[in-house]
Amino acid sequence: MENDVVIELEAMLKNAQPLFTTKNCCIYKVSHKIRQLNEDAYTPTVVSIGPLHHGDSTLVIMESHKQVYCQHFIQRSNASLTDLVSCVQQLEPQIRACYLEKINLTVDELVKVIFIDCCFVIELFLKDEWMTNDAIYSKPWMGTRVIHDLLLLENQIPLFVFDKIYNLAFASLLDGDLFPSFMSVAVTYFSMFNKQGLLLPSASSSIVHFTDLIGYFILLPSHTRPSRNPELLVLGHSASELVEAGVKFIVNKSSSSNGCMLDLEFDHGTLKIPHIKVGDGTEIWLRNIVAFEQCHYPKEHYILDYVVFLNHLMKTNKDAGVLIKAGIIDCIFGGNYESKVANLFCHVGKNSLVATTNVDYLRICHDLNAYYNHPWHSKMATLRRDYFTSPWSTAALIVGIMLLILTVIQTVCSVLQV
């Protein structure tokens, strides 16, 4: 008689499914090790988009509102409901392949979720007159939360699905150039992140969803991105220590940076860092872009490099104060904002894996370390740290020096008189 355990194991192994990524995989659940640091930064608070958070009890209240948006989209569409749904049905295998996690929805269930959510987002982006009294657009706090939810890594639908539905719905208008493309309305909706004023991504762009789009706004254009090196980024001294050694911190306003927050420069004792506005939403988009880099661009994590570099600079509240005072960080936190800024850059990069590093940042670190360790600069740092820590100690030192000089003069005069 065959062993029962053997029979069960055979059945279990026969039904086993491998965990692997396809070339289309681009939407991921944030790893537990990273997620546990701030669960809220990766979890939608108002609206779920796509299958990963569908059915969450805290988000159910928005489902009916999404359906109202969907109705308005269908009414304005030039395509029939049947054609629009058929479009999503044909794409369903490709859509499912975009998620690393197994989607526990049937084909029909997934099609309905994707269709309603895509129609909701497109209608939201188009922002028509009927929305005058709409809860999302009439309540600023609600609109802000929806924007934050739409850039979460776990709250995504592949961009090609939006594009297909949009192009089908407005085919006649798009043919006559009388209507903006979907990418155009998406870029407009997320324009607050487009500080560089980048042009629309090309039709052949590799941008896969909205989290990736926000990263596109922040990064330098691909043809100007620095090369990478497996060396780890190490900066031996924090901002306040570098100031003691004579380093000056200023906002990088050079035309070459073109608004890119990642474009740092160090030259002749001056560290230039582009301006960044830091508030309650900063941690959300930073964390999600870093998490996406970890999953999708593990060897090209330019934004993680930036976070790590600023973490090296801001080890204490005093260090954060240096960057705030220099105008590099514009803080819109309330309360103890220096502490919040320091903690932000300390925590965002935690538990992330660093494979390679931006060579420009490596060179800046090497140059800063060399500048600090120069005998003259290190002596100046010691002098400032030991004798110029407060106005009183500075005054006492000056008085002491003056007394010493007067004593020397008095001694010389006495010797000359003799």
Side-chain angles (χ1 to χ4, degrees):
M1 183 175 178
E2 193 168 358
N3 191 315
D4 289 344
V5 175
V6 172
I7 296 172
E8 291 175 5
L9 277 171
E10 286 179 341
M12 182 189 302
L13 296 174
K14 185 177 180 180
N15 295 322
Q17 297 291 326
L19 180 65
F20 64 92
T21 61
T22 66
K23 64 178 182 179
N24 294 323
C25 185
C26 60
I27 302 171
Y28 312 84
K29 288 278 282 185
V30 179
S31 70
H32 172 71
K33 209 166 176 54
I34 294 176
R35 171 180 267 280
Q36 67 180 350
L37 296 169
N38 186 349
E39 188 89 15
D40 292 343
Y42 306 103
T43 307
T45 59
V46 174
V47 60
S48 70
I49 300 296
L52 296 185
H53 288 277
H54 178 73
D56 188 322
S57 60
T58 62
L59 306 173
V60 168
I61 191 172
M62 185 59 77
E63 290 303 309
S64 178
H65 199 59
K66 287 197 293 186
Q67 291 166 18
V68 171
Y69 272 58
C70 188
Q71 287 178 334
H72 281 275
F73 173 76
I74 294 167
Q75 289 167 7
R76 78 155 81 208
S77 168
N78 293 330
S80 67
L81 176 59
T82 300
D83 289 342
L84 291 168
V85 172
S86 295
C87 173
V88 179
Q89 287 173 325
Q90 292 170 15
L91 295 173
E92 190 274 342
Q94 293 172 251
I95 296 170
R96 197 178 286 268
C98 289
Y99 295 87
L100 179 62
E101 299 288 319
K102 181 181 178 182
I103 306 302
N104 294 316
L105 296 173
T106 65
V107 171
D108 289 348
E109 288 171 340
L110 182 58
V111 167
K112 285 190 286 187
V113 168
I114 296 296
F115 178 72
I116 290 174
D117 289 355
C118 282
C119 292
F120 163 74
V121 171
I122 293 171
E123 190 68 15
L124 178 74
F125 287 4
L126 291 174
K127 190 182 178 182
D128 208 356
E129 292 178 2
W130 73 268
M131 297 180 184
T132 304
N133 297 316
D134 175 68
I136 295 175
Y137 276 110
S138 63
K139 306 291 184 186
W141 66 268
M142 176 74 84
T144 299
R145 288 189 179 182
V146 170
I147 290 174
H148 289 162
D149 283 352
L150 290 183
L151 58 81
L152 302 181
L153 176 57
E154 297 179 359
N155 218 31
Q156 298 301 316
I157 291 173
L159 274 181
F160 72 81
V161 187
F162 291 105
D163 218 37
K164 291 279 189 181
I165 295 174
Y166 189 92
N167 291 344
L168 178 61
F170 307 117
S172 59
L173 294 173
L174 290 166
D175 285 343
D177 292 327
L178 300 174
F179 212 65
S181 67
F182 175 73
M183 186 58 77
S184 176
V185 295
V187 167
T188 299
Y189 183 78
F190 291 110
S191 60
M192 73 288 293
F193 296 100
N194 191 8
K195 304 299 184 184
Q196 299 186 76
L198 297 177
L199 300 176
L200 297 182
S202 65
S204 60
S205 170
S206 60
I207 294 173
V208 291
H209 47 58
F210 298 141
T211 312
D212 199 16
L213 179 63
I214 305 306
Y216 166 81
F217 288 148
I218 294 170
L219 287 169
L220 286 163
S222 57
H223 65 279
T224 60
R225 289 175 199 166
S227 59
R228 304 190 63 81
N229 190 294
E231 183 182 347
L232 291 178
L233 190 133
V234 178
L235 180 58
H237 309 282
S238 67
S240 57
E241 292 171 334
L242 291 169
V243 168
E244 290 172 351
V247 174
K248 295 178 181 177
F249 286 79
I250 65 171
V251 177
N252 189 358
K253 297 180 180 178
S254 67
S255 58
S256 62
S257 67
N258 195 31
C260 179
M261 62 178 259
L262 308 184
D263 194 14
L264 280 61
E265 299 176 20
F266 179 66
D267 186 41
H268 293 95
T270 299
L271 181 57
K272 301 177 182 179
I273 304 176
H275 172 265
I276 178 174
K277 187 174 288 188
V278 174
D280 292 328
T282 309
E283 183 170 0
I284 294 174
W285 59 261
L286 264 182
R287 277 191 175 278
N288 280 273
I289 295 173
V290 167
F292 180 55
E293 283 185 331
Q294 288 284 283
C295 297
H296 205 68
Y297 304 115
K299 294 183 179 179
E300 295 184 7
H301 41 70
Y302 287 95
I303 296 168
L304 176 60
D305 292 343
Y306 170 82
V307 170
V308 171
F309 188 94
L310 262 63
N311 180 33
H312 279 298
L313 282 179
M314 293 186 287
K315 298 183 183 301
T316 66
N317 298 354
K318 182 180 178 182
D319 298 321
V322 170
L323 272 66
I324 293 170
K325 185 177 180 181
I328 292 166
I329 295 179
D330 185 6
C331 186
I332 53 178
F333 283 125
N336 187 1
Y337 53 85
E338 291 180 350
S339 173
K340 290 179 179 178
V341 169
N343 288 335
L344 169 64
F345 287 96
C346 172
H347 295 152
V348 167
K350 271 189 176 178
N351 294 344
S352 297
L353 298 176
V354 177
T356 60
T357 303
N358 178 335
V359 294
D360 285 354
Y361 287 8
L362 286 173
R363 184 174 62 254
I364 291 172
C365 282
H366 293 159
D367 290 348
L368 282 169
N369 289 331
Y371 186 93
Y372 185 94
N373 293 326
H374 186 281
W376 171 253
H377 298 142
S378 60
K379 284 182 173 62
M380 287 299 297
T382 302
L383 185 64
R384 288 189 178 98
R385 183 174 58 251
D386 294 344
Y387 299 103
F388 295 97
T389 55
S390 71
W392 294 111
S393 60
T394 303
L397 179 63
I398 293 172
V399 170
I401 292 173
M402 290 177 65
L403 289 173
L404 178 61
I405 293 172
L406 289 172
T407 302
V408 170
I409 292 172
Q410 184 179 22
T411 302
V412 171
C413 290
S414 298
V415 171
L416 290 176
Q417 288 175 356
V418 172

